[in-house]
Amino acid sequence: MRIGRQPGGDGAHGSSATALADRFTGPGLPSRLLRRVLAYVALTKPRVIELLLVATIPTMLLADRGTVDIRLILATLFGGWMGAASANTLNCVADADIDKVMKRTAKRPLAREAVPTSNAFVFGVALGVGSFAWLWWQANLLSGLLVVATILFYVFVYTLGLKRRTSQNVVWGGAAGCMPALVGWSAVTGGIGWPAIALFGVIFFWTPPHTWALAMRYKEDYRAAGVPMLPVVATEQTVTRQIVIYTWLTVLTTLALVPATGVIYAAVALVAGAWFLLMAHQLYAGVRRGESVKPLRLFLQSNNYLAVVFCGLAVDSVLGWDTIGSFFN
């Protein structure tokens, strides 16, 4: 349920599993087996699945405000992890050709032929089936169906449909990365409420500035691979202007959730939002002045921003104090 990092940014930090596998180059059987296992782990992009944890747990805590059901949370996370791993693995299968071209992805397992493509495909499908079955069993049918829909959307709509055809790929393809909010909410309630939709919107609007900042840094990689990311086809001023617009939409959407939360979340959303907006405006201003900018800084800090907002939501939900909306009823 990208499920994981957002479209276009997958594998931005590289794979810790791949790096670890590279250390085991001995000829012995244990080393070969360990390298093979780590190659399969790398296919799932384990560091990319961080968003799953960031989004799912606070959403579930908000859905069951004031209560913590550890068993259900852990079960949902495991099912979500399998779904995310499935989507990421199948993404590696679909993108194996361009991963060989792009320097930052050249060490992925399929790009360096550490795993047969057919094996990776079967591995990815098996993870997807397991995710659906697990969530249906441990949570409910809706949660399982949402995971399946996310995997299919990420692979067929984003990876095979949008990624290589339009500069708006991460805008619409980013919807796949928002699904942990819906899955987490449905696991608790059996349905989808407006706060889950608001959280979906937060991640949806956060995706473009997060990913475009990365793409500004690696635009030559994308150009070489024939992927029309916005920084490849537009000027830096246009890209940073769009980053500012989507950052504003992100912050405003976090504030739209305030009536369903308490003062802790409201304060965190305001302060973190102001900080995120400042970074986006500084990047835009630097480009307008013709300065040498560091877009990767915004990319990295955007992760911290989302983590802070969702952590604030988690704390606020666990405490279960009166919601701000209740004061107006």
Side-chain angles (χ1 to χ4, degrees), residues 290-319:
E291 299 173 355
S292 177
V293 296
K294 297 180 178 180
L296 202 58
R297 177 175 175 268
L298 178 64
F299 166 77
L300 296 173
Q301 294 301 324
S302 66
N303 286 324
N304 296 333
Y305 163 76
L306 199 67
V308 167
V309 169
F310 275 85
C311 284
L313 177 61
V315 172
D316 187 278
S317 300
V318 170
L319 291 176

Side-chain angles (χ1 to χ4, degrees), residues 68-125:
V68 181
D69 187 341
I70 295 295
R71 187 208 66 80
L72 182 60
I73 290 175
L74 292 177
T76 304
L77 287 176
F78 181 68
W81 172 82
M82 283 195 291
S86 170
N88 290 334
T89 299
L90 295 174
N91 169 264
C92 285
V93 172
D95 279 351
D97 58 333
I98 61 175
D99 283 347
K100 294 178 181 179
V101 177
M102 299 175 67
K103 292 180 181 179
R104 70 182 183 84
T105 58
K107 289 189 177 182
R108 286 181 179 172
L110 296 184
R112 56 191 177 89
E113 300 180 351
V115 175
T117 302
S118 58
N119 290 13
F121 176 77
V122 172
F123 180 57
V125 171

